[in-house]
Amino acid sequence: MMLSSLLNNKHLLWRAGFGAGINQFEDLKNKDIKTLLNDLFKEENFIEVTYDTPDVETIDYMTDKSPAEKKKEIQRINREQNNELNLNFLNKMINSNEQLREKMAFFWHGHFASRVQNPKFNRQLLNIIRKNALGNFKDLLFEVSQAPAMLNFLNNQQNKKDHPNENFAREVMELFTMGRGNYTEKDIREGARAFTGWGYDKEGNFAERKKIHDEATKTFLGKTGNFTGTDALNIILEQKATAKFITSKIYKFFVNENVDESIVNKLSDSFYSSNYDIKKLMNDIFSSSWFYDKKNIGNRIKSPVELMVGMMRTLPMHIQNPENLIIYQKLLGQMLLYPPNVSGWPNGKSWIDSSTLMLRLQIPQIWSGLRPLEYSPRQDDDIDMGMKSRETALNKSFKNPNITIDWARVEKAFNNKNCEDYLIQNSNTLSMDSVKSFSDNTVKMNVINLMSTPEYQLM
């Protein structure tokens, strides 16, 4: 193991979590990497993310309402519950001691991307991902593949013998396990036949509907037999290509977009022979000396969620109306529970365009009450569900995010410290003259100004 240093510690906390929390700055310089790693891999009792908003079921009793009114009411409750789930997941990322679990869950949330309106399905899938985030990839794959949210999103509810729907089988191989080039169109057709009958019942429980399952012989990825969906997933997991695809994707997300083939081959062989032990793979990565190479530090653009969560871990804040945080996710282009499509969110430079960069640089000032928000969300009718007029009303109420930051605590945390050493991953290009404003050189202004730099956008 390498010697501990502030730079390496910050790097580890940003990649294996969402940056250092306010209470971690105190002795971050002196912390031993092994200690930090042990803390990150500690697991507490798993607590599900949920919501308090009443369930849609109650609406059925509203006999005085017309079907159109009922439908509108159901949409409203669904939206409220999904928003609550979103904020509860965000809150876990900010406040949980299990930073690595939530960071892995955030990764898998983009990997197993699904977008459905049903909050019960969303809650179920989110908790499957969080529960298995550091567990075994086989368990994770099986539970996700049998989750109503995914079966609904990828149309497997409609996959029946004589009329196979190939969508689910295709995405499972292309995006969730093997990656393109490791299977044929025939494998997709035969795989789809294996998955016929996989769906869910009215209560939202997984159901294998035997009557619509294709019982005939199938030839899938070089094997022949009377395969079911379970067989298909097991055969996919036997392919070394699956371990390689998942390892490469994890490397790109946690280490570097430019893959080092020899490192990834070694990691993926070990991942395969460990029978897909995610925790072991992550430990192999974070405890390797190459993870701390200069070229791997400060080279990743924070996604909007990483940017927001990182700031909120550094700046203890009380938010009067947290639903505003959903608007920030929309404005910046990454709304939890609403990936753009089944491929999840693209990473890297795709996060930055002229409008999002301006807002990213201004958030610290807006949240500190130094400037108003002057943006309106990009219209996404899928997310807004036709609520255009409400959107304009929201923007009015939204000018003041009603955030109170505990600056006294921030001052104490950065007392006698160089703020830039703690907040910036790669300060080579940073001109401190532009950060330190002549009139006001307080910790508060230094922190706000540092968070408003392009350098703070990198991790």
Side-chain angles (χ1 to χ4, degrees):
M1 277 304 287
M2 32 167 328
L3 291 170
S4 166
S5 77
L6 181 57
L7 185 63
N8 294 335
N9 289 347
K10 281 188 306 178
H11 177 56
L12 177 63
L13 290 180
W14 262 116
R15 296 302 177 85
F18 297 91
I22 183 84
N23 55 343
Q24 291 176 294
F25 288 115
E26 181 81 34
D27 59 344
L28 197 54
K29 217 178 191 140
N30 315 317
K31 263 276 172 72
D32 172 60
I33 281 263
K34 273 202 175 114
T35 315
L36 273 185
L37 270 172
N38 286 339
D39 289 349
L40 282 163
F41 280 97
K42 256 194 211 118
E43 295 193 57
E44 300 179 353
N45 285 336
F46 177 66
I47 298 168
E48 293 208 335
V49 159
T50 184
Y51 43 78
D52 303 324
T53 321
D55 253 338
V56 165
E57 271 87 60
T58 55
I59 293 169
D60 294 339
Y61 305 117
M62 296 183 178
T63 39
D64 55 330
K65 296 241 190 293
S66 71
E69 286 175 311
K70 274 189 194 173
K71 190 180 170 194
K72 219 170 167 175
E73 188 60 12
I74 286 172
Q75 282 185 340
R76 186 187 65 77
I77 290 180
N78 282 350
R79 195 169 45 244
E80 270 179 24
Q81 290 182 346
N82 283 330
N83 283 353
E84 206 177 328
L85 267 187
N86 173 315
L87 292 172
N88 289 349
F89 186 22
L90 197 69
N91 185 45
K92 289 273 188 213
M93 295 178 199
I94 299 163
N95 295 312
S96 171
N97 293 329
E98 294 183 273
Q99 281 288 290
L100 180 56
R101 182 207 289 278
E102 303 303 337
K103 184 60 167 268
M104 286 306 302
F106 176 59
F107 167 77
W108 294 123
H109 178 60
H111 178 77
F112 291 111
S114 102
R115 185 166 166 163
V116 295
Q117 297 299 343
N118 183 322
K120 187 176 170 184
F121 289 3
N122 280 330
R123 181 188 63 192
Q124 205 177 13
L125 180 60
L126 182 55
N127 286 314
I128 285 171
I129 284 170
R130 290 183 54 252
K131 183 181 76 196
N132 295 292
L134 278 167
N136 185 288
F137 180 71
K138 177 182 176 169
D139 299 340
L140 176 61
L141 176 65
F142 266 86
E143 287 192 44
V144 166
S145 301
Q146 296 182 347
M150 197 54 83
L151 292 163
N152 170 311
F153 186 55
L154 297 180
N155 317 107
N156 212 69
Q157 189 74 340
Q158 289 80 47
N159 186 12
K160 21 176 126 51
K161 65 176 178 196
D162 307 332
H163 290 287
N165 183 312
E166 294 173 7
N167 204 14
F168 181 76
R170 180 186 304 276
E171 305 304 8
V172 164
M173 289 194 279
E174 180 185 325
L175 294 171
F176 299 166
T177 57
M178 296 161 67
R180 260 187 211 157
N182 292 303
Y183 54 86
T184 63
E185 284 296 314
K186 183 166 191 289
D187 289 323
I188 292 173
R189 284 197 297 279
E190 300 285 279
R193 291 177 54 215
F195 287 117
T196 48
W198 270 30
Y200 50 90
D201 60 20
K202 282 205 298 289
E203 277 70 54
N205 302 306
F206 173 69
E208 279 190 86
R209 297 159 300 167
K210 297 270 190 289
K211 283 187 180 140
I212 56 175
H213 175 66
D214 182 337
E215 298 274 350
T217 304
K218 306 151 189 96
T219 300
F220 179 64
L221 295 172
K223 293 195 154 187
T224 302
N226 172 9
F227 298 136
T228 63
T230 298
D231 300 323
L233 289 182
N234 281 325
I235 293 169
I236 286 171
L237 288 162
E238 284 165 19
Q239 315 297 312
K240 284 213 150 137
T242 296
K244 174 80 191 275
F245 179 73
I246 297 297
T247 305
S248 300
K249 192 162 175 186
I250 281 178
Y251 185 93
K252 283 180 184 166
F253 186 90
F254 289 91
V255 186
N256 200 315
E257 298 233 322
N258 304 320
V259 170
D260 182 320
E261 285 298 332
S262 66
I263 288 179
V264 165
N265 286 333
K266 231 161 90 181
L267 287 170
S268 91
D269 285 347
S270 155
F271 187 41
Y272 186 80
S273 50
S274 76
N275 199 12
Y276 293 101
D277 181 339
I278 301 167
K279 196 177 212 172
K280 181 183 181 303
L281 172 62
M282 301 318 290
N283 198 34
D284 288 350
I285 291 173
F286 297 137
S287 53
S288 299
S289 55
W290 50 255
F291 176 71
Y292 302 90
D293 281 354
K294 267 231 157 9
K295 64 169 191 230
N296 294 329
I297 297 182
N299 66 355
R300 268 202 59 216
I301 295 173
K302 294 171 187 170
S303 76
V305 167
E306 288 166 331
L307 181 72
M308 287 170 62
V309 171
M311 277 186 201
M312 294 164 93
R313 282 180 61 71
T314 301
L315 303 176
M317 52 179 75
H318 176 69
I319 305 176
Q320 203 66 53
N321 32 359
E323 57 283 0
N324 277 343
L325 296 175
I326 288 181
I327 310 258
Y328 278 100
Q329 293 173 48
K330 267 193 216 184
L331 287 170
L332 293 169
Q334 185 176 39
M335 186 166 163
L336 295 170
L337 305 183
Y338 288 94
N341 52 49
V342 68
S343 310
W345 290 279
N347 269 316
K349 294 201 171 65
S350 58
W351 289 127
I352 305 276
D353 61 33
S354 52
S355 74
T356 56
L357 180 61
M358 272 319 283
L359 177 58
R360 276 170 166 258
L361 298 175
Q362 290 177 1
I363 282 182
Q365 296 163 8
I366 299 170
W367 284 4
S368 309
L370 300 180
R371 65 151 65 222
L373 178 83
E374 286 144 356
Y375 294 85
S376 46
R378 270 179 259 171
Q379 298 298 354
D380 176 345
D381 210 37
D382 248 6
I383 293 181
D384 301 330
M385 303 207 297
M387 305 293 283
K388 290 286 179 279
S389 54
R390 186 169 164 274
E391 203 59 272
T392 41
L394 252 178
N395 282 346
K396 285 200 185 79
S397 71
F398 177 68
K399 282 286 191 276
N400 176 5
N402 276 340
I403 289 175
T404 327
I405 296 173
D406 184 347
W407 286 111
R409 201 169 156 204
V410 177
E411 302 255 345
K412 196 165 161 246
F414 289 104
N415 189 21
N416 297 328
K417 289 185 174 67
N418 255 344
C419 296
E420 66 271 20
D421 292 347
Y422 286 82
L423 294 180
I424 305 290
Q425 290 305 89
N426 184 348
S427 52
N428 298 344
T429 55
L430 189 68
S431 144
M432 281 312 292
D433 295 345
S434 62
V435 171
K436 293 195 156 86
S437 46
F438 298 110
S439 55
D440 183 350
N441 206 0
T442 56
V443 167
K444 172 178 174 175
M445 282 320 295
N446 273 344
V447 168
I448 292 172
N449 290 339
L450 280 164
M451 286 183 166
S452 309
T453 60
E455 284 79 4
Y456 185 76
Q457 306 299 314
L458 299 169
M459 61 183 249

